[in-house]
């Protein structure tokens, strides 16, 4: 059985998921874009942060009150196929176990996309995109807490207005407790992307999940 949920992300600060690409001498880290050149948040980035929050939540809750939810011992390797996996490995997967959750890329709404397509057509520039901003940053020395020489960099970011949305698929059955745990942990995801320590990628209401039938 495959269940489909919709999700949305409202960013209250500029966000960037960097692609590993740079524009030599101009922009050090550029955002991930889709086939039309419009900024997207890859599902893997969303899932990675959600998994981190879910693990922290499972670790912090009293095991007696968890309704059958549990987490493998942090000193032991991840769960394997041979025995029932913990809640985290079952839902989010690991190297040996296929995840129950599949998270698609989060895209801008169609009205925003139309606007960006129009801007892109007006000015074709291979480096500067008119739907994003270039923000400077500096690398700090961890030892002295001062700026390191020659470590000024420029990041491409999506401005803070953005609402993105996408689809989550749940493969196979999950229990009511697991469903509630996913809703709760999704709401607790506070930020996504680069430069979180300086306040980038802040989410207004976490990963906002809408389950069919208005359960979300
Ligand atoms: Zn596990």
């Amino acid at each position: 059985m495959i269940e489909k949920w919709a999700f949305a992300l409202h960013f209250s600060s500029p966000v960037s998921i960097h692609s590993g690409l740079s524009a030599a001498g101009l922009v050090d880290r550029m955002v991930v874009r889709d086939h039309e050149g419009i900024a997207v948040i890859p599902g893997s980035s969303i899932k990675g942060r959600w998994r981190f929050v879910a693990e922290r939540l499972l670790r912090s809750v009293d095991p007696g009150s968890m309704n059958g939810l549990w987490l493998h011992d942090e000193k032991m390797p991840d769960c394997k196929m041979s025995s029932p996996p913990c809640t985290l490995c079952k839902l989010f997967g690991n190297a040996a176990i296929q995840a129950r959750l599949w998270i698609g890329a989060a895209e801008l709404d169609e009205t925003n996309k139309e606007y960006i397509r129009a801007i892109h057509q007006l000015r074709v520039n291979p480096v500067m995109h008119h739907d994003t901003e270039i923000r400077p940053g500096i690398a700090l020395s961890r030892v002295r807490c001062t700026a390191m020489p020659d470590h000024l960099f420029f990041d491409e970011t999506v401005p803070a207005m953005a609402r993105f949305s996408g689809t989550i698929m749940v493969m196979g059955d999950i229990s009511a407790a697991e469903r509630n745990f996913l809703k709760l942990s999704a709401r607790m995801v506070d930020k996504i992307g680069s430069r979180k320590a300086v306040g980038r990628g802040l989410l207004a209401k976490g990963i906002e999940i809408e389950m069919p039938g208005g359960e979300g």
Side-chain angles (χ1 to χ4, degrees), residues 33-40 107-125 129-132 161:
R33 291 177 183 278
D34 67 10
H35 62 281
E36 288 189 282
I38 297 174
V40 292
E107 301 180 14
L108 285 166
D109 291 344
E110 197 50 39
T111 37
N112 280 319
K113 281 192 183 180
E114 279 301 324
Y115 172 71
I116 291 166
R117 282 184 200 113
I119 298 175
H120 282 177
Q121 277 173 359
L122 285 176
R123 309 187 74 174
V124 179
N125 179 322
H129 292 264
H130 294 268
D131 55 340
T132 49
M161 48 91 200

Coordinates of all heavy atoms in Angstrom, one line a residue, residues 33-40 107-125 129-132 161:
R33 N 18.8 23.8 -8.8 CA 17.7 24.3 -9.6 C 17.1 23.1 -10.4 O 17.8 22.1 -10.6 CB 18.2 25.3 -10.6 CG 18.5 26.6 -10.0 CD 19.1 27.7 -10.9 NE 19.5 28.9 -10.2 CZ 18.6 29.8 -9.8 NH1 17.3 29.7 -10.2 NH2 19.0 30.9 -9.1
D34 N 15.9 23.2 -10.8 CA 15.3 22.1 -11.6 C 15.6 22.3 -13.1 O 16.4 23.2 -13.5 CB 13.8 22.1 -11.4 CG 13.0 23.3 -11.9 OD1 13.6 24.1 -12.6 OD2 11.8 23.4 -11.5
H35 N 15.0 21.5 -14.0 CA 15.3 21.5 -15.4 C 14.9 22.8 -16.0 O 15.4 23.2 -17.1 CB 14.5 20.3 -16.1 CG 13.1 20.4 -16.0 ND1 12.4 20.1 -14.9 CD2 12.1 20.9 -16.9 CE1 11.1 20.3 -15.1 NE2 10.9 20.8 -16.3
E36 N 14.0 23.6 -15.4 CA 13.7 24.9 -15.9 C 14.6 26.0 -15.3 O 14.3 27.2 -15.6 CB 12.2 25.3 -15.6 CG 11.2 24.5 -16.3 CD 9.8 25.1 -16.0 OE1 9.3 24.8 -14.9 OE2 9.3 25.9 -16.9
G37 N 15.5 25.7 -14.5 CA 16.3 26.7 -13.9 C 15.7 27.4 -12.7 O 16.1 28.5 -12.3
I38 N 14.6 26.8 -12.1 CA 14.0 27.3 -10.9 C 14.4 26.6 -9.7 O 14.5 25.4 -9.6 CB 12.4 27.2 -11.1 CG1 12.0 28.1 -12.3 CG2 11.7 27.7 -9.8 CD1 10.5 27.9 -12.7
A39 N 14.7 27.4 -8.6 CA 15.3 26.9 -7.4 C 14.3 25.8 -6.8 O 13.1 26.0 -6.7 CB 15.5 28.0 -6.4
V40 N 14.9 24.7 -6.3 CA 14.1 23.7 -5.6 C 14.8 23.3 -4.3 O 16.0 23.5 -4.2 CB 13.9 22.4 -6.5 CG1 13.0 22.7 -7.7 CG2 15.2 21.8 -6.9
E107 N 8.9 22.3 -4.4 CA 9.0 23.3 -5.5 C 8.2 24.5 -5.2 O 7.2 24.5 -4.4 CB 8.3 22.7 -6.8 CG 9.1 21.5 -7.3 CD 8.4 20.9 -8.5 OE1 7.6 21.6 -9.2 OE2 8.7 19.7 -8.8
L108 N 8.5 25.7 -5.8 CA 7.7 26.9 -5.6 C 6.3 26.7 -6.2 O 6.1 25.9 -7.1 CB 8.4 28.0 -6.3 CG 9.7 28.6 -5.6 CD1 10.4 29.5 -6.6 CD2 9.3 29.4 -4.4
D109 N 5.4 27.5 -5.7 CA 4.0 27.4 -6.3 C 4.0 27.9 -7.7 O 4.9 28.6 -8.1 CB 3.1 28.3 -5.5 CG 2.9 27.7 -4.1 OD1 3.2 26.6 -3.9 OD2 2.4 28.5 -3.2
E110 N 3.0 27.4 -8.5 CA 3.0 27.7 -9.9 C 2.9 29.2 -10.2 O 3.5 29.6 -11.2 CB 1.7 27.0 -10.5 CG 1.8 26.8 -12.0 CD 3.1 26.2 -12.5 OE1 3.7 25.3 -11.9 OE2 3.5 26.7 -13.6
T111 N 2.2 30.0 -9.4 CA 2.2 31.4 -9.6 C 3.6 32.0 -9.5 O 4.0 32.9 -10.3 CB 1.3 32.2 -8.6 OG1 1.4 31.5 -7.4 CG2 -0.2 32.1 -9.1
N112 N 4.3 31.6 -8.5 CA 5.7 32.1 -8.4 C 6.6 31.6 -9.5 O 7.4 32.3 -10.0 CB 6.3 31.5 -7.1 CG 5.9 32.3 -5.9 OD1 5.8 33.5 -5.9 ND2 5.6 31.6 -4.8
K113 N 6.4 30.4 -10.0 CA 7.1 29.8 -11.1 C 6.9 30.6 -12.4 O 7.8 31.0 -13.1 CB 6.8 28.4 -11.3 CG 7.4 27.4 -10.4 CD 7.1 26.0 -11.0 CE 7.7 24.9 -10.1 NZ 7.4 23.6 -10.7
E114 N 5.6 31.0 -12.6 CA 5.3 31.8 -13.8 C 6.0 33.1 -13.8 O 6.6 33.6 -14.8 CB 3.8 32.1 -13.8 CG 2.9 31.0 -14.3 CD 3.3 30.6 -15.8 OE1 3.6 31.5 -16.5 OE2 3.2 29.4 -16.1
Y115 N 6.1 33.7 -12.6 CA 6.7 35.0 -12.4 C 8.2 34.8 -12.7 O 8.9 35.6 -13.4 CB 6.5 35.5 -11.0 CG 7.2 36.7 -10.6 CD1 6.9 37.9 -11.1 CD2 8.2 36.6 -9.6 CE1 7.6 39.0 -10.7 CE2 8.9 37.7 -9.2 CZ 8.6 38.9 -9.8 OH 9.3 40.0 -9.4
I116 N 8.8 33.8 -12.2 CA 10.3 33.6 -12.3 C 10.6 33.2 -13.8 O 11.6 33.7 -14.4 CB 10.8 32.5 -11.4 CG1 10.7 33.0 -10.0 CG2 12.2 32.0 -11.7 CD1 10.8 31.9 -8.9
R117 N 9.7 32.4 -14.5 CA 9.9 32.2 -15.9 C 10.0 33.5 -16.7 O 10.8 33.6 -17.6 CB 8.8 31.3 -16.4 CG 9.0 29.8 -16.0 CD 7.9 29.0 -16.7 NE 7.7 27.7 -16.0 CZ 6.7 27.4 -15.3 NH1 5.6 28.2 -15.2 NH2 6.6 26.2 -14.6
A118 N 9.0 34.4 -16.3 CA 9.0 35.6 -17.1 C 10.2 36.4 -16.8 O 10.8 37.0 -17.8 CB 7.7 36.4 -16.6
I119 N 10.7 36.5 -15.6 CA 12.0 37.2 -15.3 C 13.1 36.6 -16.0 O 14.0 37.3 -16.6 CB 12.3 37.2 -13.8 CG1 11.2 37.9 -13.0 CG2 13.6 37.9 -13.5 CD1 11.3 37.8 -11.5
H120 N 13.2 35.3 -16.0 CA 14.3 34.6 -16.7 C 14.3 34.9 -18.2 O 15.4 35.0 -18.8 CB 14.2 33.1 -16.5 CG 14.7 32.6 -15.2 ND1 14.6 31.3 -14.8 CD2 15.2 33.3 -14.1 CE1 15.1 31.2 -13.5 NE2 15.5 32.4 -13.1
Q121 N 13.1 35.1 -18.8 CA 13.1 35.4 -20.2 C 13.5 36.8 -20.5 O 14.1 37.0 -21.6 CB 11.7 35.1 -20.8 CG 11.4 33.7 -21.1 CD 10.0 33.4 -21.4 OE1 9.2 34.3 -21.4 NE2 9.7 32.1 -21.8
L122 N 13.3 37.7 -19.6 CA 13.7 39.1 -19.8 C 15.2 39.2 -19.9 O 15.7 40.0 -20.7 CB 13.1 40.0 -18.7 CG 11.6 40.2 -18.8 CD1 11.2 41.0 -17.6 CD2 11.3 41.0 -20.1
R123 N 15.8 38.6 -19.0 CA 17.3 38.8 -18.8 C 18.0 37.4 -18.8 O 17.9 36.8 -17.8 CB 17.6 39.6 -17.6 CG 16.7 40.8 -17.6 CD 17.1 41.7 -16.5 NE 18.3 42.5 -16.8 CZ 18.8 43.4 -15.9 NH1 18.1 43.7 -14.9 NH2 19.9 44.0 -16.2
V124 N 18.7 37.1 -19.8 CA 19.3 35.8 -19.8 C 20.8 36.1 -19.5 O 21.6 36.7 -20.2 CB 19.2 35.2 -21.2 CG1 20.0 33.8 -21.2 CG2 17.8 34.9 -21.6
N125 N 21.1 35.6 -18.3 CA 22.5 35.8 -17.8 C 22.8 34.5 -17.1 O 22.2 34.0 -16.3 CB 22.5 36.9 -16.7 CG 23.8 37.2 -16.1 OD1 24.6 36.2 -15.9 ND2 24.2 38.4 -15.9
H129 N 21.1 35.0 -11.4 CA 19.7 34.6 -11.6 C 18.9 35.7 -10.8 O 19.2 36.1 -9.7 CB 19.3 33.3 -11.0 CG 20.0 32.2 -11.7 ND1 19.3 31.5 -12.7 CD2 21.2 31.6 -11.7 CE1 20.1 30.5 -13.2 NE2 21.3 30.6 -12.6
H130 N 17.8 36.2 -11.5 CA 17.1 37.3 -10.9 C 16.0 36.9 -9.8 O 15.3 37.7 -9.3 CB 16.5 38.2 -12.0 CG 17.6 38.8 -12.7 ND1 18.1 40.1 -12.4 CD2 18.4 38.4 -13.8 CE1 19.1 40.3 -13.2 NE2 19.3 39.3 -14.1
D131 N 15.9 35.6 -9.6 CA 15.0 35.1 -8.5 C 15.7 34.9 -7.2 O 15.1 34.4 -6.2 CB 14.3 33.8 -9.0 CG 15.3 32.7 -9.4 OD1 16.5 33.1 -9.7 OD2 14.9 31.6 -9.4
T132 N 17.0 35.1 -7.2 CA 17.8 34.8 -5.9 C 18.6 36.0 -5.6 O 18.8 37.0 -6.4 CB 18.7 33.6 -6.1 OG1 19.5 33.8 -7.3 CG2 17.9 32.3 -6.2
M161 N 10.6 35.1 1.2 CA 9.2 35.0 1.0 C 8.7 33.6 0.8 O 7.5 33.2 0.8 CB 8.7 35.9 -0.1 CG 9.5 35.8 -1.4 SD 8.9 34.5 -2.5 CE 10.3 34.2 -3.6

